[in-house]
Amino acid sequence: MENTIISLVGARPQFIKEAVIASEVHKTNAWNHILVHSGQHYDVNMSDLFFEELQIPTPKYFLEVGSSSHGKQTAAVLEKFEDILLQEKPDLVLVYGDTNTTVAGALAAAKLNIPVAHVEAGMRQYPKDMPEEINRVVTDHLSSLLFCCSELSRQNLKQENITKDIFISGDVMYDLFLRMKPRFLKDKMLQNLTLHEGEYILVTLHRDFNVDNKKSLLPILEGLNDYAKMTGLSIVFPMHPRTRKRIEEFDLATYLDSMNIVEPVGYLELMGLLEGCLKVVTDSGGLQKEAYFAQKQAAVVMPDTGWREIIESGWNQLVSANKARELLPQILQSNSPQYPQNLYGTGEAAQSIVKSIMAYLKS
């Protein structure tokens, strides 16, 4: 009898991770794969590119939980997803990352004695009271199969006395990066913005702790401005609407005179800019890791990151906003260290995950 697995997603990045795994499932006809979308975040602008390239199917169930407080949102997913589990009676539930959808799905399944597999297990980040960190820890302790992006994640689980059925699968986002790489629009972006390869810094900033406070945002802009004036290199800054609004509100626009400010760009355009840049300054969890994939060193403007293995390898560096004016020019002018290979596998994470799940279901 064919096994049934329900894959639960609630946000755009989870859709993409799910699609990478689902494409591997369909290749091998591994099991009956049911997609459920909680509706925690509904992105009407989700790129057609990903639907086309990854063949993302329409979810069988859409829970429509929408935005709400953490408690209400988690409760809504828990209640509605439980009904689906009782109806479908899956052999396993697959969850991703660290959202309220993730922890609610794991709770619903575990209470019905349905095994849970967690993709991106073992990631840990300070502060420990942040909602995403709570979701990660609870989900890991409820899961029967834990798929880690790296050895460091496995060590994190071990410190919490989780030692069984842990797999270092690698990162499905690296699978995606390699798959999409031939379509990155580097030449188009260099031409459109009159840039020369290796002669600009790519910058993205959007986190509230960096942009919503003038005391944080000012030294970041000062550091970038100082570097541009010292070196003559371009600062290419696809600017988030939130960041633009705060710069105007805090009367900091004069610091943008030395920068190339552009509208936010899509995935292929951003990856094209990444491929052509010298280094990266970002507070994006995704871009700091994609910079590593592209072998570009990043200054990560955050107090901590879930992708600590890149920091510990010496490749990326954490920069606190209050020290950004001093540190950003130093990091951007320094020579990059030796590139640490294969921190997140070799681009076969989805294949590894599917094989491990199939073996588990047969055992």
Side-chain angles (χ1 to χ4, degrees):
M1 183 178 176
E2 187 180 30
N3 293 115
T4 294
I5 289 180
I6 290 182
S7 193
L8 176 65
V9 298
R12 183 179 182 278
Q14 294 176 333
F15 249 114
I16 294 168
K17 292 163 193 169
E18 199 284 331
V20 176
I21 292 173
S23 66
E24 185 64 31
V25 172
H26 296 318
K27 265 190 229 171
T28 56
N29 198 26
W31 55 71
N32 176 31
H33 193 76
I34 296 174
L35 178 59
V36 177
H37 182 17
S38 74
Q40 177 175 334
H41 298 296
Y42 185 69
D43 184 357
V44 294
N45 295 317
M46 187 185 289
S47 172
D48 290 339
L49 166 79
F50 291 113
F51 280 101
E52 172 198 335
E53 179 70 20
L54 300 175
Q55 299 177 325
I56 297 174
T58 302
K60 184 173 180 179
Y61 298 96
F62 182 49
L63 307 186
E64 300 183 19
V65 299
S67 298
S68 187
S69 68
H70 288 287
K72 286 182 180 178
Q73 193 175 64
T74 304
V77 178
L78 182 58
E79 179 182 6
K80 294 184 176 186
F81 189 56
E82 183 183 59
D83 290 342
I84 292 168
L85 295 178
L86 290 169
Q87 181 179 328
E88 295 286 354
K89 297 181 173 57
D91 298 285
L92 184 137
V93 168
L94 193 54
V95 297
Y96 306 80
D98 56 17
T99 64
N100 291 336
T101 294
T102 304
V103 72
L107 277 165
K111 285 176 177 288
L112 292 173
N113 204 28
I114 299 168
V116 176
H118 186 201
V119 175
E120 281 188 4
M123 277 184 61
R124 295 295 181 264
Q125 184 178 356
Y126 288 100
K128 290 298 177 186
D129 60 356
M130 65 191 289
E132 294 85 354
E133 182 70 5
I134 294 165
N135 292 343
R136 289 181 196 122
V137 173
V138 172
T139 301
D140 283 341
H141 283 265
L142 292 171
S143 295
S144 300
L145 290 170
L146 299 108
F147 294 107
C148 296
C149 295
S150 70
E151 170 60 26
L152 178 59
S153 291
R154 188 183 73 82
Q155 293 294 335
N156 290 338
L157 293 173
K158 187 177 178 183
Q159 288 177 6
E160 296 172 15
N161 295 317
I162 302 174
T163 57
K164 189 180 177 187
D165 290 321
I166 299 173
F167 303 88
I168 303 175
S169 60
D171 191 338
V172 292
M173 294 307 287
Y174 188 42
D175 295 19
L176 177 72
F177 181 88
L178 294 177
R179 182 166 165 177
M180 302 297 278
K181 196 172 188 294
R183 299 176 66 175
F184 294 167
L185 298 173
K186 180 178 75 173
D187 292 341
K188 175 188 172 184
M189 296 307 292
L190 294 181
Q191 183 177 353
N192 287 355
L193 298 175
T194 320
L195 298 168
H196 297 286
E197 187 165 356
E199 295 185 9
Y200 64 92
I201 303 298
L202 176 61
V203 177
T204 72
L205 292 170
H206 74 281
R207 301 258 181 189
D208 55 357
F209 52 74
N210 284 329
V211 305
D212 284 357
N213 185 327
K214 184 175 181 179
K215 289 183 179 178
S216 299
L217 185 55
L218 176 58
I220 298 171
L221 297 178
E222 286 176 330
L224 294 171
N225 192 49
D226 290 350
Y227 172 79
K229 288 181 176 177
M230 278 189 293
T231 64
L233 295 185
S234 297
I235 304 289
V236 178
F237 195 164
M239 189 172 286
H240 192 281
R242 175 189 201 138
T243 310
R244 186 184 296 274
K245 183 179 177 183
R246 293 292 180 259
I247 287 174
E248 291 172 0
E249 183 182 322
F250 300 147
D251 197 23
L252 299 176
T254 184
Y255 290 98
L256 305 182
D257 291 345
S258 60
M259 303 182 199
N260 193 341
I261 307 301
V262 299
E263 292 298 316
V265 294
Y267 177 77
L268 294 183
E269 290 83 2
L270 184 62
M271 292 301 101
L273 286 172
L274 176 61
E275 280 199 313
C277 76
L278 176 64
K279 291 187 180 184
V280 175
V281 176
T282 188
D283 57 11
S284 161
L287 187 59
Q288 64 183 271
K289 193 171 52 167
E290 287 157 344
Y292 164 75
F293 295 161
Q295 300 190 26
K296 305 293 182 177
Q297 192 181 19
V300 179
V301 191
M302 296 174 68
D304 192 22
T305 173
W307 307 112
R308 287 184 188 163
E309 45 279 290
I310 317 179
I311 303 297
E312 292 185 4
S313 74
W315 185 254
N316 287 353
Q317 293 187 50
L318 290 175
V319 178
S320 60
N322 64 335
K323 294 184 178 178
R325 181 168 194 179
E326 173 191 354
L327 292 180
L328 285 179
Q330 290 180 17
I331 294 169
L332 296 175
Q333 290 185 93
S334 65
N335 293 325
S336 296
Q338 184 175 352
Y339 181 69
Q341 297 279 350
N342 301 334
L343 290 180
Y344 298 110
T346 57
E348 298 172 337
Q351 185 179 358
S352 172
I353 289 167
V354 170
K355 282 183 177 178
S356 297
I357 291 174
M358 288 178 71
Y360 177 84
L361 292 174
K362 288 176 182 176
S363 63

